[in-house]
């Protein structure tokens, strides 16, 4: 597999090939997994080679950063699908709903209510993933596993189109048990979509059922 110093097209092809190969091992079709190219902190001129190579699904961590670079890129590539994968402040909910096609970090009551109001006002309804604090880490976002059923009920009551679950496992430990737990939670609640897996562990995530992998470093190189 090419290193992150390789040309963008080669890195993109390598990640796509790895996803397809891993999905085959798991008995899944390659197109069951969506590659989200995480372009946070990446300037537009470094994103464009991936757009030219056909990548259309991207993820950003911050509303303000995405507002600064994606409107112009979308003018040239109108079929781009944009995901918000970072934590979202409730006071940015309306801006997030206006800009993004999917929001991966729904994790608390106040945000559910803000997103519900923004969607009702705008008529735009981006897909929502509920983020689960799968490793019970105080410093991370995500709803506690025990509080997941109540938040899902509240999200549905507020009219959010919840399509699946998202998680970031603890760093520097084997991620497979955490991915397996998230997959079980998804099944228990009737979801088929799972946002899990990043540059260091997306192969494991695909083996365990991920439908959306969030890959940045393997495509763009280490962030400075």
């Amino acid at each position: 597999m090419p290193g992150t110093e390789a040309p963008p097209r080669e890195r993109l092809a390598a990640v796509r090939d790895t996803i397809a190969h891993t999905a085959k091992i798991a008995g899944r079709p390659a197109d069951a997994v969506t590659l989200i190219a995480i372009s946070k902190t990446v300037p537009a001129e470094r994103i464009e080679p991936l757009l030219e190579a056909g990548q259309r699904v991207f993820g950003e961590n911050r509303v303000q950063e995405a507002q600064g670079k994606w409107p112009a890129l979308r003018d040239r590539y109108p079929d781009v699908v944009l995901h918000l994968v970072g934590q979202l402040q409730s006071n940015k909910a309306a801006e997030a709903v206006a800009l993004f096609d999917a929001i991966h970090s729904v994790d608390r009551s106040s945000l559910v209510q803000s997103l519900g109001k923004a969607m009702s006002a705008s008529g735009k309804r981006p897909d929502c993933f509920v983020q689960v604090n799968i490793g019970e880490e105080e410093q991370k976002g995500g709803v506690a596993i025990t509080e997941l059923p109540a938040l899902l009920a509240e999200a549905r009551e507020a009219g959010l189109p919840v399509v699946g679950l998202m998680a970031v496992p603890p760093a520097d430990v084997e991620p497979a048990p955490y991915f397996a737990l998230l997959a079980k939670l998804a099944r228990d609640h009737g979801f088929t979509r799972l946002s899990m897996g990043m540059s260091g562990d997306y192969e494991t995530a695909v083996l365990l059922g991920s439908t959306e992998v969030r890959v940045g470093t393997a495509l763009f190189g280490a962030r400075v």
Side-chain angles (χ1 to χ4, degrees):
M1 179 174 175
T4 53
E5 72 283 353
R9 284 177 179 269
E10 289 185 19
R11 296 197 296 265
L12 178 61
V15 171
R16 285 176 170 171
D17 286 349
T18 299
I19 289 171
H21 176 71
T22 308
K24 183 177 181 180
I25 292 171
R28 305 172 65 201
D31 61 6
V33 184
T34 297
L35 170 61
I36 305 172
I38 303 301
S39 50
K40 66 178 184 181
T41 76
V42 179
E45 61 268 20
R46 290 185 58 215
I47 296 171
E48 196 132 20
L50 265 64
L51 287 162
E52 291 171 352
Q55 177 66 23
R56 287 296 181 271
V57 185
F58 289 82
E60 291 283 343
N61 266 38
R62 296 173 61 246
V63 173
Q64 188 172 0
E65 181 185 346
Q67 287 172 325
K69 63 189 178 188
W70 278 104
L73 288 170
R74 273 180 151 170
D75 284 344
R76 297 197 295 280
Y77 302 93
D79 54 343
V80 159
V81 177
L82 201 55
H83 292 240
L84 178 66
V85 299
Q87 293 302 298
L88 176 60
Q89 296 174 326
S90 296
N91 63 3
K92 295 284 187 181
E95 294 170 70
V97 167
L99 182 61
F100 291 96
D101 302 292
I103 296 171
H104 290 235
S105 50
V106 179
D107 65 354
R108 61 195 185 278
S109 178
S110 61
L111 181 57
V112 164
Q113 296 306 317
S114 295
L115 287 170
K117 290 175 184 175
M119 290 182 193
S120 294
S122 68
K124 189 168 181 286
R125 293 166 54 81
D127 288 344
C128 290
F129 291 80
V130 168
Q131 182 176 354
V132 182
N133 190 340
I134 205 76
E136 299 180 340
E137 299 174 275
E138 289 185 6
Q139 76 278 17
K140 275 189 182 166
V143 63
I145 293 171
T146 55
E147 297 171 8
L148 176 61
L151 189 68
L152 287 171
E154 185 175 355
R156 291 184 178 117
E157 179 69 21
L160 269 61
V162 178
V163 298
L165 303 181
M166 178 271 219
V168 180
D172 303 320
V173 298
E174 171 55 50
Y178 298 96
F179 291 152
L181 176 56
L182 192 71
K184 180 183 184 301
L185 290 170
R187 289 194 300 272
D188 289 347
H189 291 283
F191 294 119
T192 58
R193 291 176 67 181
L194 283 167
S195 171
M196 61 186 195
M198 299 186 290
S199 287
D201 57 20
Y202 69 89
E203 292 173 69
T204 302
V206 170
L207 287 171
L208 290 168
S210 180
T211 59
E212 270 93 355
V213 293
R214 311 180 305 269
V215 178
T217 302
L219 294 171
F220 294 107
R223 293 179 179 86
V224 294

